[in-house]
Every structure is written in C-alpha cells, then in structure tokens.
C-alpha cells in the first residue's frame, strides 16, 4: 500500500545523506553552520520516518474497524465479527472477517445458542460455518437464517468460538491491531478436507473459553423459514 511513498522516502534520504556529507566535508565553512544543522536534521527526520514505515507501520488499513468499530474478535490472525441483518431477501447472519497476515487461511466459526435462537440448518442448534480467506482480505459471509416470529425484535444469547489455519504459515503481518480472544475448538485440519459453508455438526463439540454474544434479531422478517437461499462470500477489500 505504501510502496510508492517508501520509495520516495528512500530517494529523499539518499539525497539527504549526500547533502549532509557535502556540507560537512566539502564546504569551506567551519563549526556548526546553519546548512550543516539543517541538512543533518532533515536527514535524521527522513531516516526516522523511513524506519517507522518499514518496521512499525501497518502495511494495510484496518478496514474492519472502519466498518464495525474497534471491538472485534480474532482467531489466530483472522479477525471476525458476527451480526444479524435483515436484507432484502430475508434475515441473514453476516460474519465480517479481516485477515491480518499476507498468506491465505481457512476459518471455522462455531456458534452455540444458550436458549432458543435463529435457525441456519434445519434440526440443528449449533451454527458451524467454514470459509477460506485470502491474504490481507476483508469481506463478509452472508448466511441466510430463519428467525421465528416470537423471537423477532428480541435479543438472543450465543457462545462463539473460532479457529483458523494458515497452510503456508502466516507470512508477514499486514495489520497490527489484534482482536479480542473468542475461544477455540478442536479442528482436524490435516485429516479432513474442509467443507465451506454452513453444515450440521455434532452438538457435543467442546467449546473452549467461548465468547458470549448478544445478537439483536430483526423485526418483520420477510423469510418464510424455508431456508432455500444459499450462503455467499462477499469480498470488500483485497491486497
């Protein structure tokens, strides 16, 4: 993102070093002259700026914070934040995600209602959604849901855990702002090929240190409960 600016900084720093060397070694002036002080300060400032840009500054902006605020969760390098929305096609579970690293990852988000809740898969209480994320990508998983009429407009409590897997390691860190811990679960990344999308799972899966969510259900939902709509993945920003 900042390659052009950093390239210009390198050129300016090189010019600053040459200017400073010229003022100190090739002019006839003696002592601390104005131009010797000025060239030294300019070169030092450019050096500090370039060092910060190459070592401490985020390589990509925190788009997730711009969209939903600074409080979101993280699963080992992939930040997530679930919300319930009432789209034109009907209610949906929207999972915002943001990869902080340069390599792609596989992600599983598991939600377990503590009481009666919305429905993702018929006859299944737990919500188990798997998807893949490109390096540095920001996007949304749109998962259709059914909200019973007596729960519309109410607050539903759920427990959430999430896990991620980087097949080629994390790679370079593109964003430094970490999300809140949301717990984890066992996932056999090596033994099973991951099926993307929402699917029924065993409700006895152990959730380790899950985060507690309180999600507001939409009012006047259009969906009739057939759950015939399909999930989709929307890419918002990419590298």
């Amino acid at each position: 993102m900042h390659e052009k600016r950093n390239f210009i900084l390198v050129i300016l720093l090189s010019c600053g070093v040459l200017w400073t060397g010229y003022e100190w070694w090739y002019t006839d002036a003696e002592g601390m002259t104005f131009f010797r002080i000025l060239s030294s300060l300019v070169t030092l400032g450019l050096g500090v700026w370039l060092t910060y840009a190459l070592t401490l500054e985020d390589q990509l902006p925190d788009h997730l914070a711009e969209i939903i605020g600074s409080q979101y969760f993280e699963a080992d390098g992939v930040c997530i934040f679930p919300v319930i929305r009432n789209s034109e096609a009907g209610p949906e579970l929207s999972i915002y995600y943001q990869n902080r690293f340069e390599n792609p990852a596989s992600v599983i988000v598991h939600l377990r209602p503590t009481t009666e809740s919305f429905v993702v898969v018929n006859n299944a209480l737990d919500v188990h959604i798997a998807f893949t994320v490109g390096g540095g990508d920001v996007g949304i998983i749109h998962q259709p849901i059914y909200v019973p009429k007596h729960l519309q407009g109410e607050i539903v409590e759920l427990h959430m855990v999430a896990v991620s897997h980087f097949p080629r390691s994390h790679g370079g860190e593109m964003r430094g702002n970490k999300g809140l811990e949301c717990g984890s679960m066992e996932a056999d990344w090596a033994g099973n090929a991951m099926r993307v999308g929402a699917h029924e799972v065993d409700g006895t899966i152990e959730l380790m240190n899950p985060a507690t969510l309180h999600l507001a259900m939409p009012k006047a939902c259009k969906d009739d409960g057939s759950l015939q709509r399909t999930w989709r993945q929307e890419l918002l920003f990419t590298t």
Side-chain angles (χ1 to χ4, degrees):
M1 176 183 176
H2 304 299
E3 290 84 359
K4 183 177 181 180
R5 184 207 59 191
N6 292 345
F7 178 70
I8 294 174
L9 283 176
V10 170
I11 294 177
L12 292 177
L13 180 60
S14 300
C15 293
V17 171
L18 294 175
W19 180 26
T20 302
Y22 174 80
E23 292 295 336
W24 280 93
W25 299 105
Y26 295 102
T27 61
D28 296 331
E30 296 184 4
M32 298 293 291
T33 65
F34 171 76
F35 286 107
R36 285 181 175 178
I37 295 175
L38 179 62
S39 62
S40 299
L41 290 177
V42 169
T43 302
L44 178 62
L46 289 170
V48 171
W49 190 358
L50 183 60
T51 300
Y52 169 78
L54 295 178
T55 60
L56 299 176
E57 184 181 32
D58 285 354
Q59 301 303 302
L60 294 174
D62 189 353
H63 291 300
L64 195 56
E66 298 170 358
I67 297 172
I68 55 92
S70 60
Q71 297 295 314
Y72 45 75
F73 299 96
E74 178 172 345
D76 190 27
V78 179
C79 300
I80 57 173
F81 191 81
V83 297
I84 303 296
R85 303 172 60 185
N86 198 10
S87 68
E88 294 183 359
E92 67 178 30
L93 169 65
S94 299
I95 302 177
Y96 289 83
Y97 64 83
Q98 176 173 267
N99 191 348
R100 294 200 301 110
F101 292 88
E102 66 176 348
N103 286 340
S106 300
V107 184
I108 298 175
V109 178
H110 193 105
L111 300 174
R112 177 171 294 168
T114 60
T115 58
E116 188 177 4
S117 181
F118 57 86
V119 179
V120 171
V121 179
N122 287 322
N123 302 318
L125 295 178
D126 285 18
V127 180
H128 191 89
I129 298 178
F131 55 96
T132 57
V133 181
D137 283 358
V138 182
I140 314 174
I141 301 299
H142 299 275
Q143 173 59 54
I145 62 174
Y146 168 65
V147 182
K149 291 186 180 299
H150 66 281
L151 291 180
Q152 296 180 15
E154 300 295 326
I155 303 294
V156 170
E157 181 181 273
L158 304 98
H159 289 160
M160 179 184 75
V161 299
V163 290
S164 66
H165 173 62
F166 289 78
R168 303 200 306 265
S169 81
H170 289 72
E173 185 179 67
M174 311 296 285
R175 300 178 176 93
N177 189 29
K178 298 181 180 180
L180 302 173
E181 294 185 3
C182 63
S184 63
M185 57 180 286
E186 292 292 335
D188 185 8
W189 301 107
N192 296 312
M194 190 181 72
R195 291 190 299 130
V196 298
H199 45 274
E200 186 175 356
V201 294
D202 186 353
T204 62
I205 292 178
E206 181 183 2
L207 308 185
M208 294 174 282
N209 300 315
T212 300
L213 306 178
H214 296 89
L215 302 182
M217 299 298 104
K219 299 179 180 179
C221 299
K222 300 178 181 179
D223 192 72
D224 60 3
S226 61
L227 292 178
Q228 295 302 308
R229 295 177 290 133
T230 59
W231 82 292
R232 63 187 178 90
Q233 185 170 0
E234 178 184 2
L235 182 62
L236 299 179
F237 301 96
T238 188
T239 54

